[in-house]
Amino acid sequence: MEKWSFFSMRNFLVLPIILCVSLLNAFSLRDQGYFDVGIGAEKIEDTEISGVTTEYYPGPNVQASVGMAYKNGLGIGLSYQFNYNKVNKAFTKNSVQKNVDDAQEFTNYSASLNFIYKLIPSSEIGFFFSGGPCFVVNSDQKLVSTATAATDSTSSTVVTDGNGNIQTVTTEVVTENEQAADPYEYYDNLSFGYQVGGGLEYRQDKHKSMILQLNYLRSHIYRSTYNAQDPTIIDSSDKDDLEGFYGSFNFRYYM
């Protein structure tokens, strides 16, 4: 009985060791470049600018990246992502805002430099952490009017009638408002930010892997004002911090 217990205990100790060794040596490591594509969803936190609070629905997130993964677990990459979030409602403390020039959706484009560290890089399944600065393009929460102002002018023409009399003819020319099919358009703001996150990577083989990740993005969002006579004159001083959480599922290929 004691002998059986000894061998049973040894088997229970040896089995996890064998599994760990096989996991740590799933494949031989080497420095590899990679590219990946992914899709997911993003949640934007409520923003408040000049007393106006805006809520957003969760929206889709699409991303792609290229980079270099080193056998010591470190990595560096460039990533691009696009987010779309429809506005749920915008309101002040007393009422709901219903201005026709309020943006009804929010789009976000960002390009980021990511620094990556993967725990146990030789394993089939491993956790990783990433983060870095971003260059961000955010749509403004106010729309630009596409209407043009009406103008008028007069012109004088000197003519001679059949009897030799000289007459001056004054003509008034009026240019009507030219209203576009869409009376408003979006204006994009440029800003900088950063993102941090991490996730889980499953390496199928030396080349293919699947990634599940969660990230936090911080930047700025604007609610600009435009000059009534010249919409190109823009005051974008009013802004709030933009905070977004997004998760995605990525397919990666190592070269």
Side-chain angles (χ1 to χ4, degrees):
M1 185 67 178
E2 292 181 358
K3 184 177 181 180
W4 182 87
S5 300
F6 171 76
F7 281 106
S8 297
M9 183 176 295
R10 187 176 66 177
N11 290 337
F12 280 116
L13 291 174
V14 171
L15 184 59
I17 294 174
I18 294 175
L19 290 175
C20 289
V21 171
S22 63
L23 188 63
L24 292 175
N25 294 279
F27 47 83
S28 58
L29 281 178
R30 59 188 178 91
D31 298 339
Q32 292 178 281
Y34 68 83
F35 66 88
D36 61 47
V37 293
I39 188 170
E42 181 180 40
K43 175 68 173 68
I44 297 292
E45 293 296 297
D46 298 350
T47 60
E48 183 176 353
I49 305 176
S50 301
V52 178
T53 300
T54 307
E55 296 181 358
Y56 309 87
Y57 289 108
N61 168 276
V62 179
Q63 58 183 274
S65 65
V66 295
M68 188 74 184
Y70 300 98
K71 59 185 178 182
N72 59 2
L74 298 176
I76 188 170
L78 292 172
S79 66
Y80 168 84
Q81 67 172 347
F82 167 76
N83 305 307
Y84 174 88
N85 298 87
K86 191 172 180 60
V87 173
N88 181 5
K89 57 182 177 180
F91 56 91
T92 63
K93 293 182 179 179
N94 301 321
S95 62
V96 176
Q97 298 289 103
K98 295 184 180 298
N99 298 327
V100 294
D101 59 346
D102 284 342
Q104 297 303 308
E105 57 192 33
F106 171 75
T107 58
N108 170 281
Y109 309 83
S110 66
S112 61
L113 175 65
N114 282 331
F115 299 94
I116 308 163
Y117 178 68
K118 181 180 178 182
L119 300 174
I120 316 178
S122 61
S123 65
E124 291 181 347
I125 300 176
F127 292 93
F128 68 91
F129 304 96
S130 64
C134 301
F135 177 75
V136 187
V137 180
N138 292 323
S139 60
D140 205 293
Q141 294 305 280
K142 274 290 185 181
L143 302 176
V144 184
S145 174
T146 59
T148 58
T151 59
D152 56 21
S153 61
T154 59
S155 62
S156 299
T157 304
V158 177
V159 297
T160 304
D161 60 13
N163 299 321
N165 298 321
I166 298 176
Q167 298 179 342
T168 301
V169 178
T170 301
T171 305
E172 183 177 5
V173 179
V174 178
T175 302
E176 301 292 339
N177 280 356
E178 295 180 0
Q179 192 75 15
D182 187 352
Y184 295 98
E185 64 184 10
Y186 281 86
Y187 177 78
D188 291 329
N189 301 110
L190 308 180
S191 64
F192 291 94
Y194 66 88
Q195 67 174 7
V196 293
L200 186 67
E201 180 180 14
Y202 168 62
R203 289 286 297 261
Q204 292 180 288
D205 53 39
K206 293 182 179 180
H207 298 288
K208 298 185 294 295
S209 74
M210 294 179 290
I211 296 173
L212 185 64
Q213 62 179 334
L214 179 66
N215 291 282
Y216 167 77
L217 172 67
R218 187 180 183 92
S219 179
H220 294 98
I221 191 169
Y222 295 81
R223 187 181 178 89
S224 302
T225 55
Y226 308 99
N227 187 288
Q229 284 71 37
D230 186 359
T232 60
I233 301 176
I234 303 169
D235 180 8
S236 299
S237 59
D238 287 334
K239 62 184 179 181
D240 188 24
D241 290 332
L242 172 71
E243 295 181 284
F245 298 89
Y246 64 92
S248 64
F249 183 76
N250 295 52
F251 293 93
R252 176 171 294 181
Y253 184 81
Y254 289 92
M255 293 171 281

